[in-house]
Amino acid sequence: MMKFLLAALWTGFFGTVWSQFGFIYNDSIVVKFGGDTLALPWAGGFNHAQFSSFDFDFDGEEDLFIFDRSANQIRVLQRKLDGAGIPRYEYVHGVRDKFPEDVRYRAALVDYNNDGKPDLFTYGIGGVKVYRNTGNPTDGLQWELASNLLRTDYLGTNSNLYVSSIDIPAIVDVDNDGDQDILTFHLGGQRVEYHKNVSMENYGVPDSLEFVLMNECWGQFVEDESNNSVILYATDGPCGGGTSVPNPEKNLRHAGSCLLGLDLDQDDVMDLVLGDVAHTNLTALINSGTAPNQNSPMESADPSFPSNTTPVDLSVFPCSFYLDVDHDGVKDMVVGTNAAGVAQNKSSIAYYKNLGTNDAPNFSYVQNDFLQEEMIENGRGSIPVLVDLNGDGLKDLLVATNYRYKPILEKESRIMSFYNTGTNLNPVFTFVDDDWMGFSTSGLGLRVVPTFGDLDDDGDLDMMVGTETGHVHYYENTGGSGPMNFSTPPVLQFQDNQGAIINVTGFSTPNLFDIDNDGLLDLVIGRRIGGMFYYRNIGSAAAASFELVTDNFGNVNLSTPLNPESYAVPQFIRHNDTLNLFVGNRSGTIHYYKDLESNLFDGGTFTQISAGYSGINTGGFSAPFITQLTEDSAYYMFVGGDLGGLWNFKADPFSAPIIDDTLSLLNWSKESEWTVFPNPSASGKFTLAVDASSPEIFMEVTDLLGRVVSSRKPVFGEAVIDLSNQHNGIYLVQLFSVSGNFLGSKKLIKQE
């Protein structure tokens, strides 16, 4: 377990340090919708969110934990006070590595051992895995495996406590005895099982995870076999007092359900809120009991919950969560979708304010885009492109997407547009259009991705568009120096110099760029599977003509044997006369390549410098766009990802020019050029030795929370790092040049 904790903490912190000295996360650019300034514009979006509350930073305040089923992503929003002392949420970037790596399908933070720190319940094969929260203010957030797979006494047979991978069980104290029980649908999918935690009975404290099947048909109801209607007072099998054998292998209809257990009518008996796959509503079930553990039946079902206000209508598979999200001390209801890939993914979080109390909730509908309304959000797989749309000399923002969900079970592709209404020093993006160029009704299909360049030498930027079909389409801009004007009908399914239709066999992502530096824009196209196509422009400035050079440009192929889909998104930058390539991909990382010029032809292979540039990982469908946005020539990187929003990064001034110096300096930090010993160290004293031929450098030591424990000091050959007064754990020594450029880093382990 210690190895797991060390590896997880090191991985997470290394990613943070990487980004600090390359591109650093930047949320300073203002984004506006109408007259409103977005509070979380660069938070990356949400698709299928699950919610819990916990104290992330151990400051005594409840923060927001959000697990998104789409690519198993984790977000944290910290509770902060604004200038007027009013609570608000602030996005914390780069937290995924602060949680166990194997969190998938579902995640709930529930304090099972009553130590005031919510523990992590997630999917284990066929059931539930639990991590104990062992964090503290000094060491930060930490996790220890408590149970690889929960077990239960199932009618005398000890077996795994079954929960389907698509289900969300209710982890709640059903009988009010102080420990956490579990309500989950039976393997057959029609009835709910009540697994009682017997920790209090056996030990008098709630710090164990021992369960007994208390009731095979809790609430005495079943779901109809053909839909999500509820049949009360069921009498078949276990619901009528009989028993069943464990894990039956026939009559299975389970497709997916989620449960929220809470007392809706203030009678101290647990009621239930039920969501079901392929449906848009929630059903509330009211328990007829007068005390816990009476095996009391549900006496009523409300399929339009909450019926006192606008009922939940969220496509599809709505799942409800009970927590305070408006900082008033009263728990509200938040509802997300749980069917990844086929459910609403833009306005997919409903918020119901609790006008009552925690013991007697009274929900009132507020909105269907909770948090998402404060973000740039465009469905799934956002792809940013910056270009001057209106001819004012400032780069505007387009946000394409893989797709948006369109009820019922349909998808569409829209491009959002934002004008830059700021200045050359301070950009401000103001929303203009939700369906720029009307691509949702163009007939081109999904994943419409534009790239721009002057292909007819008339002084304005024309557009080529890639789509899911693998084709590219040409739109001539006749706007001149003014706003873009694409009034001329497009040339659909653009052809190469031989008259062959350009088709990269699926999900083309074009990039117009002068690859060979001959003054003509060439065409590189990423695709869904395999490498990138390179078409060289052999025409003229006024009449582009593209000749296929290779369908595996630079041998950049991000497919793997286990996952052939790459969804390559190429982005070229020429800096200091050196061509650089950044490629987004299906996995969510960014690959960085150099040595391009000598390998443009004849099947040459580009040199991969990093498979995880700047520690960026969007969880899926990463799409970088790098540009010099302001007059100080600083580089900005806009990154789209799986959850439909954007992240923004800015080049760290201490590592400018960022692209060449930062990455080439990585080569300096080889083991042969500097070492730290002994490592681990029981005394806490380390010796740092630098190659005698190295230039003068400075070192700084930080802990895993980024706090400086040894200030920056010069190193001449050797230096002693004294951590004898620090706690045992992992630290980081970082090296810098005299000018402040980051040179490298190594972990230090103080372990007695």
Coordinates of all heavy atoms in Angstrom, one line a residue, residues 1 23 50 64 73 198 213 258 527 543 545 646 682 693 738:
M1 N 0.8 -1.2 0.0 CA 0.0 0.0 0.0 C 0.9 1.3 0.0 O 0.6 2.2 -0.7 CB -0.9 0.0 1.2 CG -1.8 1.2 1.3 SD -2.7 1.5 -0.3 CE -3.5 -0.1 -0.4
F23 N 4.0 25.1 -19.9 CA 2.7 25.9 -20.0 C 2.0 25.7 -18.6 O 1.9 24.6 -18.1 CB 1.8 25.4 -21.1 CG 2.2 25.9 -22.4 CD1 3.0 25.2 -23.2 CD2 1.6 27.1 -22.9 CE1 3.4 25.7 -24.5 CE2 1.9 27.5 -24.1 CZ 2.8 26.8 -25.0
Q50 N -21.2 12.8 -11.3 CA -21.7 12.3 -10.0 C -21.1 13.2 -8.9 O -19.9 13.5 -9.0 CB -21.2 10.8 -9.9 CG -21.7 9.9 -11.0 CD -21.1 8.5 -10.9 OE1 -20.6 8.1 -9.9 NE2 -21.1 7.8 -12.1
L64 N -16.4 20.5 -3.4 CA -17.2 19.7 -4.2 C -16.4 18.7 -5.0 O -15.4 19.1 -5.7 CB -18.0 20.6 -5.2 CG -19.2 20.0 -5.9 CD1 -20.2 19.5 -4.9 CD2 -19.9 21.1 -6.8
Q73 N -13.3 10.7 -15.1 CA -12.5 11.9 -14.8 C -13.0 12.4 -13.5 O -14.1 12.3 -13.1 CB -12.7 12.9 -15.9 CG -12.2 12.4 -17.2 CD -12.2 13.4 -18.3 OE1 -11.7 14.5 -18.2 NE2 -12.9 13.1 -19.4
V198 N -22.9 -4.5 9.8 CA -23.0 -5.0 11.2 C -21.8 -4.6 12.0 O -21.5 -5.2 13.0 CB -23.2 -6.5 11.2 CG1 -24.5 -6.9 10.7 CG2 -22.0 -7.2 10.5
L213 N -26.9 -9.6 4.2 CA -28.1 -9.4 3.4 C -29.3 -9.4 4.4 O -29.7 -10.4 4.9 CB -28.3 -10.4 2.4 CG -29.6 -10.3 1.5 CD1 -29.6 -9.0 0.8 CD2 -29.7 -11.5 0.6
C258 N -30.0 3.7 -10.6 CA -29.3 4.4 -9.5 C -30.2 4.7 -8.4 O -31.4 5.0 -8.6 CB -28.6 5.7 -10.1 SG -29.6 6.7 -11.1
R527 N -6.6 11.7 -38.2 CA -7.8 10.8 -38.4 C -8.0 9.9 -37.2 O -7.3 9.9 -36.2 CB -7.5 9.9 -39.7 CG -6.2 9.1 -39.6 CD -6.1 8.2 -40.8 NE -4.8 7.6 -40.9 CZ -4.6 6.5 -41.7 NH1 -5.6 6.0 -42.4 NH2 -3.4 6.0 -41.8
A543 N -3.4 29.5 -56.2 CA -4.2 28.3 -56.6 C -3.5 27.1 -55.9 O -2.6 26.5 -56.5 CB -4.2 28.1 -58.1
S545 N -2.8 23.4 -54.7 CA -2.9 22.1 -55.2 C -2.2 21.1 -54.3 O -1.0 21.2 -54.1 CB -2.4 22.0 -56.7 OG -2.5 20.7 -57.2
L646 N -13.1 23.7 -22.2 CA -11.7 24.1 -22.5 C -10.8 24.3 -21.3 O -11.3 24.8 -20.3 CB -11.6 25.3 -23.4 CG -12.3 25.3 -24.8 CD1 -12.1 26.6 -25.5 CD2 -11.8 24.2 -25.6
A682 N 17.4 8.0 5.6 CA 16.7 7.9 6.9 C 17.0 9.1 7.8 O 16.1 9.5 8.6 CB 17.3 6.7 7.6
S693 N 30.9 20.2 -15.4 CA 30.9 21.0 -16.6 C 29.6 21.8 -16.8 O 29.4 22.6 -17.7 CB 31.1 20.1 -17.8 OG 30.1 19.2 -18.0
V738 N 20.5 30.3 -14.1 CA 20.7 31.6 -13.5 C 19.5 32.5 -13.9 O 19.0 33.4 -13.2 CB 22.0 32.2 -13.9 CG1 22.1 33.7 -13.4 CG2 23.2 31.4 -13.3

